[in-house]
Amino acid sequence: MRVLGIDTSAQSGAVGMIEGTQVVFTEQITIRPGGSEQLPALLAETLARTGRDIKELELIAVGIGPGSYTGVRVGLAIAKGLAFGLGVPLVGVPSLRALALNGPADARLICALARSRKGEVYAGLYRPGPEGVAEVVPPAIWTVPELTAALQEKDEPVLFLGEVLAEDAAELAAALKERASFGHGAENVVDGARVARLGLAHWLATKENQLDTVLPLYLRRTEAEVRWEERCCRADVSS
Amino acid sequence: MLCLGVETSCDETAVAVVEDGRRIRSSLIWSQIEKHQKFGGVVPELAARCHLEVISRLTADALEEAGVAPGALNLVAATYGPGLIGGLLVGLSMAKALSLAWQVPFVGVNHVEGHIYANFLAHPELEPPLLCLTVSGGHTQLVLMPEHGRYELLGQTRDDAAGEAFDKVARVLGLGYPGGPHLDRLAQTGQPGLTLVHHDALAGTYDFSFSGLKTAVVNLVHNLKQKGEPIPVADVAASFQRQVVSILLDRAFRALAATKVKTLVLSGGVAANSELRARFAAEAKARGVKLYCPPLPLCTDNAAMIAACGYFQWLREGASSLALAAVPRLRFEPPLAGTEENTP
Ligand SMILES: [Zn+2]
């Protein structure tokens, strides 16, 4: 099956195509902040350069985050347009799981990270195995001290992958000392072909087209909703 | 020529199919108003989330209602500004991907220009030159359109958009959200004779200012409250509405006289206001001006107007780049030489 994988959940964007087990192309692109809407142009260029026709695609896979709300939404909107336009199914894959696939097979524990607000990160824990990576702890929002404490309990080497702020990385490194190691360069960016690979496995296992149902992994309600509920709770208590 | 239109700039997700820029084959609007009601205004992040949730289903439904197979579309148009960035990006990104998948051209449309084109859908005989007054929650603009795609911005608001002023006054009077329609209904039961002290500092220009009028209402309500007197809400609504419409009427008909254009089109959500429609109709008749006003569903945000505008734009200028960025504060370009100082 020919599968396109895209991910725009972090600072960089990724687009990759696989044909069965072969990688046709995989591109990691630097997009200006908030410029993920440029991905369709880059996809068109990549297809032209590699001599592939968009109509060959049989499945679209997209990273659902967690990460930048806007970035994830753009990725999903592009994926929906492609899947609907081509009349092929769409599947969503957790972006942190795809990121964890960048780690070497002999890594013990992989902590895949994405930027959240100040002082917080999105993190998921994965263990490499014969079938890719197994999820140990699903993606969630962590403060850096909470994450450090949880990893200290694990008592094994941890490989951190992802684009995080330098001060957060420094804090993790200082706490875990020699047990912490960090990915380099492209290892820290989701690989579009790996998104495609995860999407293909999911599709073969479920045959569920998520065109109308796939949702970003926001992990958080909007601030307006949170504030509104806080107000309501206070009103409930005082009445 | 079948064009798909996509509109996600505010709190309405809309998809439409329009034939040759004039004939609506389908026009679907998914309003999020209920989702934002309890917050008293549009929450941008919530709006963006809602757009993404419904857009693919809405697109499929729009095609089905138009009786069009996905591969039969020839053009895809989407709003790229002005509007809320999170929402704009959803519609724009999906539209680009559709154009890529279908291998048809993509065009990015200015939402405000789209509002003008609602009139071309409603009135097949309409042709430029014309003068267009756009009044909505986000815009108040007076634009001369000598021909398709050419605009001269004659005047615009220096502060609040007319619809914004309606919403704020409605809130002061304790009416529901969105305020415009509530205020319109209430005003019909009131007397417009109350004095709202304010000074139309822009009299003689084509620009608008509504914040002084809004403050006059706030002060009046405040003073009555302090004196413990009842607030004649219907009369306040009627008086405020009377003055807003008077200002709009003054600018539009002076511009018609000065430009010697004989056709006036109204657009935007406030064009649905009953007093505005009635007084503009009467004035137009008295002055021998042809007045066009889109039917109510085309006044408010919709995607048919985006498809229509996109079609005429494509005829003139061809496709937009797939790298086109969303522009939340997109201006109405090109401005008339010498009016730049009018822009806030
Ligand atoms: Zn509008």
Side-chain angles (χ1 to χ4, degrees), chain A residues 37 55 69 73 85 212 220, chain B residues 45 49 56-57 96 101 326:
Chain A
E37 74 267 33
K55 296 210 191 286
Y69 293 166
R73 267 196 294 271
D212 296 323
R220 225 194 294 260
Chain B
E45 171 64 20
R49 291 184 178 197
S56 57
R57 179 72 54 81
K96 286 177 179 178

Side-chain angles (χ1 to χ4, degrees), chain A residues 166-201:
Chain A
E167 61 251 48
D168 293 339
E171 200 176 329
L172 292 164
L176 296 168
K177 305 200 175 66
E178 70 282 358
R179 285 204 287 117
S181 59
F182 292 85
H184 298 285
E187 269 183 336
N188 290 323
V189 180
V190 173
D191 180 331
R194 294 198 163 110
V195 172
R197 216 172 88 198
L198 282 176
L200 177 58

Side-chain angles (χ1 to χ4, degrees), chain B residues 85-166:
Chain B
I85 182 75
L88 286 171
L89 283 171
V90 171
L92 183 63
S93 302
M94 188 196 68
K96 286 177 179 178
L98 283 173
S99 106
L100 198 55
W102 289 334
Q103 299 177 328
V104 300
F106 156 78
V107 277
V109 171
N110 180 321
H111 176 87
V112 185
E113 196 179 341
H115 271 301
I116 300 177
Y117 275 83
N119 280 284
F120 291 94
L121 287 166
H123 314 291
E125 73 285 8
L126 179 66
E127 284 296 339
L130 53 84
L131 194 77
C132 180
L133 177 67
T134 304
V135 267
S136 73
H139 323 281
T140 306
Q141 295 186 324
L142 192 57
V143 170
L144 176 67
M145 181 181 182
E147 57 191 75
H148 280 289
R150 263 196 66 208
Y151 307 96
E152 294 178 2
L153 182 65
L154 299 183
Q156 60 185 329
T157 184
R158 301 264 184 105
D159 39 61
D160 294 355
E164 212 179 335
F166 267 96

Side-chain angles (χ1 to χ4, degrees), chain B residues 7 9-10 12 82 111-112 114-115 134-139 268-269 299-302 305:
Chain B
E7 155 62 40
S9 68
C10 192
E12 252 123 24
H111 176 87
V112 185
H115 271 301
T134 304
V135 267
S136 73
H139 323 281
C299 276
T300 45
D301 289 353
N302 65 85
M305 69 187 198

Side-chain angles (χ1 to χ4, degrees), chain B residues 306-324:
Chain B
I306 301 303
C309 186
Y311 168 79
F312 284 101
Q313 186 178 319
W314 176 78
L315 284 183
R316 290 189 317 269
E317 299 164 24
S320 305
S321 159
L322 278 183
L324 180 73

Side-chain angles (χ1 to χ4, degrees), chain B residues 11-24:
Chain B
D11 61 347
E12 252 123 24
T13 317
V15 183
V17 177
V18 170
E19 193 173 341
D20 297 331
R22 291 274 192 176
R23 206 163 77 82
I24 299 175

